[in-house]
Amino acid sequence: MSRLVLVLGDQLSLSLSALRHADPTRDIVVMAEVADETTYVHHHPKKIALVLASMRQFADALREAGWDVRYSQLDDTHNAGSIVGELLRRAEETGASEVLVTEPGEWRLITHLRHAPIKTHILPDDRFIASHQEFEAWAKGRKQLRMEYFYREMRRKTGLLMDGDAPVGGKWNFDHENRKPAPDAVAFDGPKRFAPDAVVAAVLALVERRFAPHFGTLHPFWFATTRAQALAALDHFVSNALPLFGDYQDAMLADNRFLYHSVISAYINIGLLDPLEVCQKVENAYEKGAVPINAAEGFIRQIIGWREYMRGIYFLEGPEYPTRNALGHKRDLPALFWGAETQMRCLDKTVGQTRDEAYAHHIQRLMITGNFALLAGIDPGQVHEWYLAVYMDAFEWVEAPNTVGMSQFADGGIIASKPYVSSGAYINRMSDYCEGCAYSVSKKTGEGACPFNLLYWHFLDRHRDRFSGNARMGNMYRTWDRMDAEKRETVIAEAEDFLRRLDTGAQV
Ligand code: FAD
Ligand code: DLZ
Ligand code: SF4
């Protein structure tokens, strides 16, 4: 009897465990574009197009490799609208009574599959460096789950940038060399762009028809949708941007959306690129002398360190992790996150870029939109849904720990040892946003004072009980306490006035 092999939209790897465990001579691959997956949050149209077009291209690659693929397009008349619905329909059509699937990257879908009325074997997703068991073993008995120590384990396990037992370059981490402010000019013309072929064009027409109301601009669409294209995008990055990736990793420019970033997270997350092969290419460039150690180490740390660690936390903490709200934040997500006009240039530029590209780099996500949401006390559940919807690389296993944990401190400090908050001074140091902003970054209070300056102190003040004893935050509280009482009162009153205006939907 044949079995069904379910391949999800972020499982587009020929080495997928479900495919490895199946028999192409008798088992049948099921791939399904379904309404449920396209709308469980209102994904950015570019993200939907990336996933559906890459699914179609991958189905062709599977057929070429000899698989029988039953592929459902979103507009097919008999489409059941959900993954489990499609599995049951295909089971009836083919007589199959069992399903093989690689573990999905989201508790929601794992639960659906566990409860599906058909025998379903969920196999480990071994496209990661650490298995769930390895992460659990590492985490067991530790008071703090600091990424840095996990990362060193991953360096040892993979042998990447290792010289026997010692890290190449004599240090595990070159992060302090990766904090240069925004450069005046950028010598990289951005990620490799691909003209839509017939498969992509058909998906773009579908997305335009079905998802026009979703936040985000569909055209121009230039993402890679095949493994060959994703590899070309990776090579383009390694040859042209990687040497300066480390230096400018944290910098932000209003009119340069990609700086020296790779823009490959989505390609890795949907399975077009393998994380280890990506790191090996980077290591290779370092060994050939083409890139400095701070770039190679900084990049590899993001993938075998942060990316693996985030996945470990998501699965360790369980399905309710995304609902955590340790700071009790309740404010609704303001309309400016959906493109309503704002005078705050940093937010305007970051949200605008997100709308156009379905992309913002890490520091824009963490220190502009994330920082603002945290300082303003926005409900982390709403912040989480926003990030899950608007970025092309957003899948819950990686998005939720980054948003709920790292960015919003809503997990109470599992991921971050202190909240990632800053006043306008940090944004001004790392970007050119403040030049030309309607607000003045150097003004702490009064007409035109930068809202980050007000909200920063308001945040620290309202969470004093939780954070004043944190050794890493002592300086912040000492500075606040040294301000004269009248000035502190003015800051709090102006911050509250700003938040009131935000709540009424007034333009800020
Ligand atoms: P580069 O800057 O070129 O970095 C190289 C690679 O390292 C990335 O492609 C990615 O695979 C990996 N990486 C870097 N930082 C992280 C990280 N913190 N966690 C996991 N992988 C990392 N990343 C996602 O892949 N999906 C998300 O949904 C996502 N949501 C985020 C939400 C918030 C609030 C924050 C602060 C970060 C989020 N990140 C997410 C992490 C990071 O911002 C993106 O991986 C990165 O911006 C992708 O762009 P890039 O490919 O140009 O990365
Ligand atoms: C993100 C996404 C979208 C937009 N559409 C589909 C789809 O139609 N069919 C599918 O199999 N997968 C899709 N995906 C990816 C899934 O949502 C993803 O597999 C789960 O969220 C688990 O990570
Ligand atoms: Fe953002 Fe404040 Fe700078 Fe304006 S002045 S860009 S609001 S940090």
Side-chain angles (χ1 to χ4, degrees):
M1 176 88 75
S2 63
R3 295 170 299 180
L4 300 180
V5 186
L6 173 64
V7 176
L8 295 164
D10 55 354
Q11 298 185 336
L12 310 180
S13 317
L14 285 172
S15 63
L16 195 72
S17 57
L19 291 168
R20 288 204 321 274
H21 283 81
D23 178 354
T25 63
R26 67 185 181 104
D27 295 329
I28 297 164
V29 173
V30 172
M31 295 182 71
E33 301 171 4
V34 291
D36 271 11
E37 294 308 307
T38 52
T39 53
Y40 69 92
V41 289
H42 282 192
H43 303 284
H44 193 297
K46 273 194 167 83
K47 176 183 177 188
I48 300 178
L50 169 73
V51 173
L52 301 193
S54 304
M55 283 175 71
R56 292 186 186 189
Q57 310 271 28
F58 188 69
D60 288 344
L62 285 175
R63 287 191 187 104
E64 266 172 45
W67 290 93
D68 176 357
V69 182
R70 307 292 165 106
Y71 191 97
S72 311
Q73 296 197 348
L74 201 59
D75 281 351
D76 286 351
T77 331
H78 299 293
N79 192 316
S82 71
I83 294 292
V84 172
E86 277 297 281
L87 276 176
L88 296 178
R89 190 169 74 82
R90 294 301 186 183
E92 197 172 315
E93 177 184 293
T94 59
S97 57
E98 287 186 30
V99 175
L100 285 181
V101 59
T102 294
E103 184 182 70
E106 193 169 326
W107 287 111
R108 173 187 61 89
L109 212 45
I110 295 175
T111 308
H112 288 174
L113 289 169
R114 279 187 185 154
H115 295 111
I118 180 168
K119 191 167 183 190
T120 301
H121 305 274
I122 302 182
L123 303 166
D125 189 347
D126 51 16
R127 296 173 299 163
F128 292 87
I129 291 150
S131 66
H132 295 334
Q133 293 73 18
E134 279 172 298
F135 192 83
E136 281 160 21
W138 173 77
K140 200 167 177 206
R142 282 174 194 264
K143 273 213 216 104
Q144 292 189 317
L145 302 181
R146 291 290 157 253
M147 194 287 295
E148 179 63 25
Y149 298 107
F150 171 74
Y151 165 57
R152 292 178 192 181
E153 294 292 310
M154 295 299 100
R155 288 276 292 278
R156 290 192 185 95
K157 177 171 181 187
T158 58
L160 285 163
L161 297 179
M162 292 298 288
D163 190 358
D165 278 345
V168 165
K171 278 195 300 187
W172 291 102
N173 185 314
F174 289 79
D175 203 25
H176 66 279
E177 289 168 38
N178 291 355
R179 290 176 189 158
K180 286 200 182 151
D184 289 336
V186 176
F188 175 53
D189 61 359
K192 195 164 178 66
R193 293 161 161 81
F194 303 89
D197 63 11
V199 173
V200 177
V203 168
L204 294 179
L206 169 76
V207 172
E208 212 158 20
R209 220 168 41 244
R210 295 271 301 242
F211 304 104
H214 289 203
F215 172 78
T217 319
L218 180 60
H219 297 286
F221 181 91
W222 48 261
F223 298 157
T225 55
T226 64
R227 173 162 164 78
Q229 289 178 340
L231 280 169
L234 171 63
D235 287 343
H236 176 77
F237 162 73
V238 171
S239 308
N240 301 298
L242 180 61
L244 288 172
F245 169 84
D247 284 1
Y248 297 116
Q249 204 176 331
D250 288 0
M252 298 171 279
L253 282 174
D255 294 322
N256 189 310
R257 295 169 166 184
F258 306 105
L259 278 106
Y260 295 97
H261 289 274
S262 65
V263 197
I264 60 163
S265 49
Y267 306 152
I268 307 179
N269 294 352
I270 65 173
L272 299 183
L273 295 175
D274 174 70
L276 199 54
E277 81 181 332
V278 169
C279 292
Q280 281 160 349
K281 285 208 177 203
V282 169
E283 181 186 46
N284 199 257
Y286 168 72
E287 282 168 352
K288 284 198 312 215
V291 306
I293 186 70
N294 71 319
E297 187 282 317
F299 190 86
I300 286 173
R301 175 163 22 95
Q302 305 311 314
I303 295 194
I304 68 169
W306 282 112
R307 184 173 186 272
E308 294 284 329
Y309 169 83
M310 292 301 185
R311 176 173 186 261
I313 296 284
Y314 178 75
F315 282 102
L316 185 73
E317 291 297 314
E320 50 69 60
Y321 182 82
T323 66
R324 294 200 189 160
N325 190 355
L327 301 182
H329 284 171
K330 295 197 173 70
R331 176 160 282 110
D332 282 338
L333 193 74
L336 68 86
F337 276 77
W338 300 113
E341 274 192 36
T342 171
Q343 302 297 313
M344 301 174 74
R345 189 161 182 259
C346 52
L347 277 172
D348 182 48
K349 288 286 181 183
T350 304
V351 172
Q353 144 171 3
T354 300
R355 182 195 55 226
D356 293 349
E357 312 286 357
Y359 177 84
H361 72 67
H362 187 68
I363 296 300
Q364 294 170 312
R365 297 186 206 195
L366 188 65
M367 297 311 292
I368 305 296
T369 41
N371 186 15
F372 182 78
L374 180 56
L375 293 178
I378 295 166
D379 170 6
Q382 294 185 34
V383 181
H384 155 60
E385 287 202 357
W386 184 79
Y387 278 97
L388 189 57
V390 302
Y391 290 112
M392 63 159 152
D393 56 16
F395 298 90
E396 198 178 85
W397 65 267
V398 56
E399 177 278 327
N402 268 296
T403 305
V404 174
M406 181 186 250
S407 156
Q408 298 302 297
F409 207 83
D411 66 3
I414 296 173
I415 288 178
S417 54
K418 70 175 181 56
Y420 282 94
V421 285
S422 82
S423 66
Y426 172 87
I427 296 171
N428 190 33
R429 186 163 68 250
M430 298 310 294
S431 78
D432 64 354
Y433 291 136
C434 302
E435 297 156 25
C437 180
Y439 293 99
S440 165
V441 71
S442 59
K443 276 193 95 172
K444 312 290 183 222
T445 54
E447 183 71 25
C450 166
F452 279 94
N453 293 343
L454 300 168
L455 295 177
Y456 175 71
W457 295 120
H458 190 268
F459 173 88
L460 290 179
D461 192 59
R462 72 179 188 266
H463 291 299
R464 177 182 277 276
D465 286 352
R466 180 178 279 268
F467 294 125
S468 60
N470 182 322
R472 298 187 62 204
M473 298 175 77
N475 274 342
M476 303 171 180
Y477 280 99
R478 277 189 288 279
T479 308
W480 177 233
D481 291 340
R482 270 199 305 269
M483 258 182 235
D484 70 64
E486 202 181 322
K487 173 104 183 271
R488 273 185 281 150
E489 269 172 36
T490 308
V491 169
I492 297 298
E494 290 186 13
E496 280 175 359
D497 183 51
F498 176 87
L499 291 172
R500 259 192 304 276
R501 283 188 287 125
L502 198 66
D503 289 341
T504 59
Q507 197 195 106
V508 292

